Amino acid sequence: MKELYQELGISEPVYSYGAKVEQSLQERFAEIDETAEYNQLKVLKAMQKHRVSAECFMATNGYGYNDLGRDTLEEVYASCFGAEAALVRPQITCGTHALALALMSNLRPGDELLSPVGKPYDTLEEVIGIRPSKGSLAEYNISYRQVDLLSDGSFDYEGIRAALNEKTKLVTIQRSKGYQTRPSLSVARIRELIGFIKKIKPDVLVMVDNCYGEFVERTEPVEAGADLMVGSLIKNPGGGLAPIGGYLVGKRECIEQAACRLTSPGLGKEVGASLGVIQSFYQGLFLAPTVTAGALKSAIFAANIYEKLGFPVIPTGAEPRHDIIQAVTLRSPERLIAFCKGIQAAAPVDSHVTPEPWDMPGYDSPVIMAAGAFVQGSSIELSADGPLREPYAVYFQGGLTWYHGKLGILMSLQKLYEEGLVELA
Ligand SMILES: *Cc1c(COP(=O)(O)O)cnc(C)c1O
């Protein structure tokens, strides 16, 4: 084994350092495996209940009327996540699209949207109109209010109470911290927050942005009282196999609204051919619990490796996890670049290319990204990125298998070590 690692470029000191850290994580890993086992059974139960069969994998085209595979998959998603209904489509192009669809279809002019957990994910700023943009909610006279988390990460209950008003129609809660430093939310905390909000305003709709959160815990936000839960199929629930897509699950009425917006009023869920991709949606969902477990182990391994070397990590090595993202503050541009080079060098695709910082549209400093993925931009696959500015934090996520995640992190450490940017104790 060690020899093979060496042939791949991992030196003896890095290998030994990693082995020590891995040894200390066996208990955590066993817990993650148990959650994966639970969620695997949940997925299987839903597939069996809805009698998934070979006919479901047939490609449809044209209008896609009576698409058995599509309709059955939506029932499987609804059952698996404890919801009344689901919309799971290749016509939903990404996570942002799925979230925009949920918002634009369930809000009407004059309504107000509230985020009680601070600033939403970057791409949603233009959907909402926080940054002016064509077709934003703001252009349709849908207003927005935000209540930030308190400095210790807790909910500002008094602020939320004051922000809820007669116009508030929908509350959006982002589970994952995304690229911020606030804590990610557990399903238990989401349950508490929804309970508080519904007590004040029982008819308000609650949507959870569930990106990066699926299958990390045993329950999902719909089971904690959310009316709608939304995510991307090129993250956790696509299991690395879905080549495109997004999902919405929740109350039947909310899903109907979204379907009528995605296709057309009067057509709703009845049209939308699944072309040839539906089998990968099924297979991806089937693998998603174990794939998510691999990504979680990789994140925890990275946290522990870099924490022991003295770098600040969010979450910490010992904290419970509510999503698959790991931030590591590397404190210098050289380290950030070396880290990303290591992730790239460990990839199954494009391992021979070298990532370089570039001026990405919308960012005020150059950004470096590492990804050698089968699906472009897929972040359930091993990937890392970070802006070249203080404090030089890298955001790291994914890994379709734990073994690949492990190699990626060891390779990142190898690059730092080779360039003398870190000392192994
Ligand atoms: C990834 C992500 C999104 C947007 O998804 P895209 O597929 O990149 O459009 C939205 N919210 C959160 C929390 C995310 O992690």
Side-chain angles (χ1 to χ4, degrees):
M1 182 86 87
K2 204 164 170 176
E3 225 171 86
L4 203 43
Y5 271 108
Q6 265 167 12
E7 285 169 32
L8 282 160
I10 304 296
S11 64
E12 155 62 26
V14 169
Y15 178 85
S16 301
Y17 191 82
K20 247 193 308 182
V21 171
E22 185 181 351
Q23 196 53 43
S24 71
L25 296 173
Q26 293 315 305
E27 237 173 85
R28 289 287 302 281
F29 283 12
E31 273 170 40
I32 289 169
D33 286 336
E34 221 178 290
T35 302
E37 181 178 356
Y38 184 92
N39 286 327
Q40 182 73 78
L41 296 179
K42 199 160 83 173
V43 169
L44 275 166
K45 192 173 152 207
M47 289 188 171
Q48 293 177 2
K49 178 178 173 195
H50 296 288
R51 308 172 69 102
V52 173
S53 65
E55 287 74 46
C56 293
F57 305 146
M58 240 109 73
T60 60
N61 56 25
Y63 292 116
Y65 292 133
N66 303 313
D67 185 327
L68 178 73
R70 177 196 68 206
D71 295 346
T72 304
L73 180 71
E74 288 177 344
E75 287 179 1
V76 168
Y77 258 74
S79 285
C80 177
F81 290 128
E84 289 175 10
L87 191 65
V88 187
R89 304 276 168 133
Q91 287 83 11
I92 301 175
T93 56
C94 62
T96 304
H97 186 190
L99 289 156
L101 179 62
L103 293 172
M104 296 190 160
S105 60
N106 283 284
L107 288 162
R108 293 291 180 272
D111 287 343
E112 189 162 276
L113 168 68
L114 169 68
S115 169
V117 295
K119 187 181 100 58
Y121 197 75
D122 273 32
T123 56
L124 287 185
E125 292 188 351
E126 287 185 75
V127 171
I128 295 168
I130 300 172
R131 278 185 283 142
S133 195
K134 274 198 194 74
S136 69
L137 293 174
E139 282 198 347
Y140 286 88
N141 189 30
I142 294 162
S143 55
Y144 172 69
R145 235 176 247 252
Q146 178 176 311
V147 178
D148 290 338
L149 294 173
L150 298 174
S151 54
D152 65 352
S154 62
F155 300 127
D156 179 3
Y157 284 118
E158 281 326 297
I160 296 167
R161 187 193 299 280
L164 283 163
N165 62 64
E166 66 289 346
K167 282 173 64 183
T168 315
K169 171 76 180 298
L170 197 149
V171 173
T172 179
I173 300 172
Q174 185 178 308
R175 178 173 175 182
S176 167
K177 66 181 173 304
Y179 300 120
Q180 299 176 67
T181 48
R182 73 155 165 94
S184 292
L185 302 177
S186 65
V187 175
R189 286 193 72 200
I190 290 173
R191 183 190 298 277
E192 208 182 290
L193 180 57
I194 295 175
F196 176 81
I197 289 165
K198 293 252 178 183
K199 216 153 127 196
I200 298 168
K201 192 159 190 202
D203 61 338
V204 80
L205 295 174
V206 176
M207 176 184 95
V208 172
D209 175 350
N210 206 34
C211 282
Y212 288 131
E214 298 88 356
F215 300 120
V216 171
E217 300 184 36
R218 293 186 184 202
T219 55
E220 300 287 344
V222 162
E223 298 159 271
D227 301 287
L228 253 181
M229 178 172 110
V230 181
S232 162
L233 296 197
I234 62 168
K235 293 179 180 171
N236 310 15
L241 294 186
I244 190 170
Y247 79 87
L248 289 75
V249 302
K251 292 266 159 65
R252 197 169 302 282
E253 174 58 23
C254 297
I255 297 299
E256 276 302 315
Q257 292 283 5
C260 288
R261 173 88 191 201
L262 176 65
T263 65
S264 155
L267 301 182
K269 292 177 87 173
E270 303 299 318
V271 296
S274 55
L275 306 169
V277 303
I278 205 79
Q279 184 175 349
S280 69
F281 286 16
Y282 281 99
Q283 255 177 307
L285 180 67
F286 174 72
L287 292 178
T290 46
V291 167
T292 302
L296 275 173
K297 288 178 186 175
S298 306
I300 291 169
F301 185 59
N304 281 276
I305 290 248
Y306 283 98
E307 191 171 49
K308 283 186 179 65
L309 292 169
F311 298 101
V313 296
I314 303 174
T316 65
E319 255 175 276
R321 300 274 152 165
H322 309 300
D323 63 23
I324 62 167
I325 300 182
Q326 182 62 49
V328 181
T329 301
L330 292 165
R331 292 198 289 242
S332 86
E334 293 79 19
R335 288 201 197 97
L336 175 55
I337 292 168
F339 185 104
C340 289
K341 279 183 182 166
I343 297 297
Q344 189 73 41
V349 181
D350 288 336
S351 64
H352 52 281
V353 308
T354 306
E356 304 263 359
W358 64 297
D359 288 304
M360 225 175 116
Y363 288 82
D364 52 8
S365 48
V367 176
I368 185 163
M369 295 187 165
F374 295 103
V375 172
Q376 185 196 95
S378 168
S379 48
I380 186 62
E381 297 188 52
L382 193 64
S383 45
D385 46 79
L388 268 96
R389 63 164 126 81
E390 294 283 350
Y392 301 100
V394 70
Y395 295 87
F396 161 91
Q397 67 269 310
L400 294 186
T401 70
W402 149 238
Y403 307 113
H404 176 222
K406 176 178 168 181
L407 177 68
I409 296 145
L410 290 179
M411 196 64 89
S412 74
L413 184 59
Q414 179 68 35
K415 298 286 178 197
L416 287 160
Y417 178 68
E418 277 171 17
E419 294 184 32
L421 299 167
V422 74
E423 270 180 49
L424 299 181

